[in-house]
Amino acid sequence: MASSSESFLQLMRVALGNAKHLDVTPTSKEWEELFAMSVRQGLVGVMFDGVERLPKEQMPPVEVIMDWAAAEDYLARENRRLNKTCVEVCERFEQDGMRVCILKGQGMSVLYPKPLRRATGDIDVWMQGGKEQVVEYMRSHYEQVEGPNMYHVATRLKDGVEMEVHYMPVRLSSPKRDERLRKWMEEIEPKPWNHLVELPEGVGRIRVPSKNFDLVFILLHLLHHWAFEGCGMKQLVDYYWLMLSASADERQEAMEMLSVLGLGNFVAAVMHIFSLWGMEDGVLLCPPSKWLGRLLLDDIMKVGVVSADDLSVGVYGQEKKVRKFWRRLTRMCRLMPLAPYELPRVWWDNVWWWMVRKMK
């Protein structure tokens, strides 16, 4: 696994344009594993960039290339479908007089050198007006609306795409820091609704948040995905291209806000991963932490896009509840230094689950 992880890291540097070749050419079996790792990490399209850039003598076997090309072609078709739906969604909201912007997703894809190779997901909409207005609008205009929960309501569109409409983009577990975050979001309004980007192939334009907002929001989204759901590398690649597209002043302002929110350790860990990918020191938000970065990287490589807290495949398929509880708890204790103000939420959730189980 260590050898596969190092080869994966080298191929990532090639894919991002920071290297021209691999140090060691993988065997046929290792190439099959690299392809499987790319799928698990949500990077099958991004890593295909790296495959195409390799010198001829380091190319994968024909069978692996064909599988990779087929996966990339499917991903491109899914991106085209999602882009079209995204434009239609924005137009419908604006026709109804609602102010919305697209969070992450297709708004992030335009930052990629090849936008159609970004891993797809659902559509996340941030709508102005607060919880009551969002819920009322959604229930009167869409069928089978789920929620509300802490952040959003959800529905499934006619073409099968899932859509979440947020009245709160993100929250923090620490009440004190969550209050700081909400005040900051109030201060930057209405900037998140003032930016238009053109989607590929002339399909149309969508509104996206400002770089100032995204440099904070995407990092928080990345943190929550990693800690509570499992993120894979795809969220990290979003943030990588976002940082490269931002100005030095925007990056500095973002780091100041992330420090205020108590996320300095997590940022330093992410910066270590980016430095391994070949990002220049002058672009990094802060000095990288090798120890914290290795802790985060090892966990992401192990988990991938599968839920970190509710694994149901492989060695965890037949896991008993008690074993699952202790695995969750030990994982959080081991990873606590990365986000000491956020991860206790998972620790408390596990303790509460244990207490409820004992009372039954």
Side-chain angles (χ1 to χ4, degrees), residues 11 14 22 25 40 68 81 119 128 161 193 210 212 214 220 229 233 241 251 296 298 325:
L11 185 58
V14 177
L22 306 175
T25 302
R40 288 199 300 271
W68 225 313
R81 182 172 73 101
Q128 235 181 359
V161 174
W193 289 275
S210 62
N212 306 73
D214 268 345
L220 294 177
E229 300 175 37
M233 291 287 183
W241 290 117
R251 292 194 295 268
L296 177 62
D298 288 348
F325 167 74

Side-chain angles (χ1 to χ4, degrees), residues 73-198:
D73 179 68
Y74 173 79
L75 185 59
R77 285 185 278 113
E78 284 297 293
N79 266 297
R80 291 187 179 97
R81 182 172 73 101
L82 203 58
N83 285 340
K84 181 175 180 293
T85 302
C86 217
V87 171
E88 293 171 351
V89 163
C90 288
E91 290 176 348
R92 177 173 180 179
F93 275 100
E94 292 189 2
Q95 288 172 0
D96 293 335
M98 303 292 112
R99 295 197 76 190
V100 299
C101 65
I102 300 299
L103 296 171
K104 50 194 179 68
Q106 302 313 103
M108 285 287 103
S109 71
V110 299
L111 303 176
Y112 284 55
K114 296 180 180 179
L116 298 181
R117 291 188 175 181
R118 181 188 179 273
T120 58
D122 55 12
I123 295 177
D124 289 84
V125 179
W126 184 12
M127 176 177 160
Q128 235 181 359
K131 181 177 180 178
E132 291 185 3
Q133 183 173 338
V134 170
V135 174
E136 180 182 355
Y137 172 84
M138 290 298 295
R139 288 178 174 169
S140 61
H141 288 77
Y142 291 89
E143 300 177 358
Q144 298 180 339
V145 175
E146 299 178 5
N149 62 16
M150 186 181 298
Y151 304 100
H152 58 74
V153 293
T155 188
R156 184 178 292 273
L157 303 176
K158 292 181 179 179
D159 61 357
V161 174
E162 293 185 3
M163 179 175 71
E164 296 178 354
V165 181
H166 294 247
Y167 36 83
M168 176 65 67
V170 66
R171 303 197 68 168
L172 294 176
S173 299
S174 165
K176 180 180 179 180
R177 289 163 182 79
D178 186 60
E179 179 66 21
R180 291 174 182 170
L181 177 63
R182 282 188 282 126
K183 286 183 178 180
W184 174 77
M185 286 193 291
E186 291 172 0
E187 290 173 359
I188 66 171
E189 285 192 64
K191 291 180 182 178
W193 289 275
N194 289 344
H195 295 261
L196 286 166
V197 296
E198 186 78 30

